[in-house]
Amino acid sequence: MLILGLETSCDETGVALYDTGRGLLAHALFSQVDIHVEYGGVVPELASRDHVRKALPLLRQVLDDAGCSPQDLDGIAYTAGPGLVGALMVGATLAQSLAWAWGIPALGVHHMEGHLLAPMLEEERPEFPFVALLVSGGHTQLVRVDGIGEYRLLGESLDDAAGEAFDKAAKMLGLPYPGGPHIARLAESGDPGRFDFPRPMINRPGLDFSFSGLKTFTLNTVNDCRRDSGLTQQDKCDIARAFEEAVVATLVIKCRRALEQEGLPTLVIAGGVSANRNLRGRLQTALAKIGARVFYPAPEFCTDNGAMIAYAGAQRLHAGQQDTPTATVRPRWPMEELPPLAAVREVC
């Protein structure tokens, strides 16, 4: 099956073509970061309007790059949620309209299932069952995965997601949006021994996360530096280093705890924060000590992208699932509500 994937859940327009026999044929992405940076975060109305402008040109580009035409397609997958409702509606209405015009099925895909399955785009893939850490701007979750659609939530953030915490810490330091990459760059020049930030909730039982206290600690440290001698560039580097270390250590501890609790040797980590090099290195080292392995998507597929939607949609369309011809989106959508696809446990 040849599936067109459309991703428009937030501030990135992604389009891709995935073939269940040949793999990923082509993909293209337009990021709206330059549009939203002056506002310090995503402006939903601006995001929706830019998806309208960019989706069709990217679609034409991907078809041309793959040497395909609409007549070659067997289905269209689009992000139906969770996400910004206006942005989701752009992708949903476009996908349903094209599916009707071309006489092929369309299917709304869960955004986080797309992230969870993104490592399957790589040559070396994890085998079910495994534990997944989904860590992005809007989500921080630990999930047990027994197959496609067979998900059990183990723990999640009780307040801000890790990606949101990075954005807010960056704003405290006067860094632009999105904050994660800027924090990581500053942290490389930070003194690891100067500040010791708390690791939230690691001494409590369970697998939930909380980053609100860490944000408050960061703000207090920034204010202390300002009062002492003004916030210098080295202060910013040292605070960024301590903040990143605290988030990474917390995620690593909870991932190891989840694997031990579930008795599984495999961790999948996906979402924008999974591109953090410090997190990848620390997880690799920590899990090696307990004989576990960690799998990631390629860096280009860590953030929102059409390839993960095309892949996830291909698995479900291949199993016979499809939508009615109505553009329905779900800004909030628990992943545990997805139907299991035992028939495609061995993914294409």
Side-chain angles (χ1 to χ4, degrees), residues 3-340:
I3 304 301
L4 176 70
L6 303 176
E7 157 59 25
T8 63
S9 65
C10 190
D11 60 343
E12 286 163 319
T13 311
V15 182
L17 275 175
Y18 182 83
D19 186 278
T20 54
R22 295 176 290 168
L24 184 64
L25 302 185
H27 65 97
L29 181 74
F30 179 81
S31 174
Q32 300 176 5
V33 167
D34 291 342
I35 296 172
H36 302 289
V37 66
E38 64 177 297
Y39 303 100
V42 178
V43 180
E45 179 63 22
L46 295 181
S48 301
R49 291 180 183 182
D50 205 61
H51 288 310
V52 172
R53 286 191 289 264
K54 296 298 190 302
L56 279 176
L58 288 177
L59 191 156
R60 295 188 187 101
Q61 176 187 330
V62 165
L63 287 173
D64 288 345
D65 289 347
C68 296
S69 70
Q71 289 71 36
D72 299 319
L73 297 175
D74 297 300
I76 301 178
Y78 62 94
T79 304
L84 303 175
V85 63
L88 292 169
M89 284 301 299
V90 174
T93 53
L94 175 60
Q96 289 286 2
S97 299
L98 293 177
W100 180 84
W102 294 338
I104 56 177
L107 178 67
V109 170
H110 194 289
H111 180 75
M112 297 311 295
E113 181 172 67
H115 276 303
L116 187 151
L117 296 177
M120 301 297 187
L121 292 165
E122 304 306 307
E123 187 172 333
E124 188 175 12
R125 305 171 175 181
E127 295 183 0
F128 300 116
F130 55 77
V131 170
L133 172 66
L134 303 177
V135 57
S136 65
H139 298 81
T140 301
Q141 297 177 326
L142 281 164
V143 181
R144 180 184 172 111
V145 181
D146 288 298
I148 295 177
E150 299 176 57
Y151 309 131
R152 179 163 57 86
L153 182 65
L154 303 175
E156 63 185 337
S157 180
L158 303 179
D159 38 63
D160 284 352
E164 291 174 306
F166 270 106
D167 289 340
K168 291 177 181 179
K171 189 172 183 179
M172 297 173 197
L173 295 173
L175 302 174
Y177 169 87
H182 297 285
I183 290 277
R185 279 193 287 271
L186 274 188
E188 292 176 0
S189 302
D191 177 0
R194 183 178 175 190
F195 298 116
D196 184 18
F197 281 21
R199 276 61 169 159
M201 296 183 68
I202 62 170
N203 295 321
R204 299 185 188 180
L207 296 169
D208 287 329
F209 303 89
S210 172
F211 296 105
S212 60
L214 179 59
K215 289 187 304 176
T216 301
F217 195 94
T218 303
L219 180 60
N220 290 338
T221 305
V222 169
N223 290 336
D224 288 344
C225 289
R226 284 201 176 104
R227 281 193 295 267
D228 291 343
S229 56
L231 189 64
T232 67
Q233 183 65 19
Q234 189 58 49
D235 289 337
K236 293 182 179 182
C237 292
D238 296 344
I239 291 170
R241 177 68 176 262
F243 178 85
E244 183 187 57
E245 284 290 326
V247 174
V248 166
T250 301
L251 294 174
V252 170
I253 289 168
K254 292 297 179 81
C255 285
R256 177 169 175 167
R257 186 180 296 176
L259 290 172
E260 292 172 340
Q261 172 185 298
E262 298 301 310
L264 295 176
T266 305
L267 176 74
V268 162
I269 174 172
V273 181
S274 69
N276 183 283
R277 288 183 294 177
N278 188 13
L279 176 60
R280 290 189 175 212
R282 293 282 292 278
L283 273 174
Q284 200 85 31
T285 301
L287 298 191
K289 293 178 181 179
I290 61 171
R293 294 189 64 190
V294 57
F295 291 82
Y296 312 93
E300 62 186 325
F301 300 135
C302 288
T303 56
D304 297 348
N305 63 88
M308 69 183 192
I309 301 303
Y311 179 86
Q315 309 313 305
R316 291 187 172 274
L317 285 162
H318 183 262
Q321 185 179 343
Q322 67 181 72
D323 288 345
T324 59
T326 303
T328 302
V329 298
R330 296 184 62 179
R332 296 183 182 277
W333 189 4
M335 199 164 62
E336 306 93 284
E337 294 181 4
L338 292 173

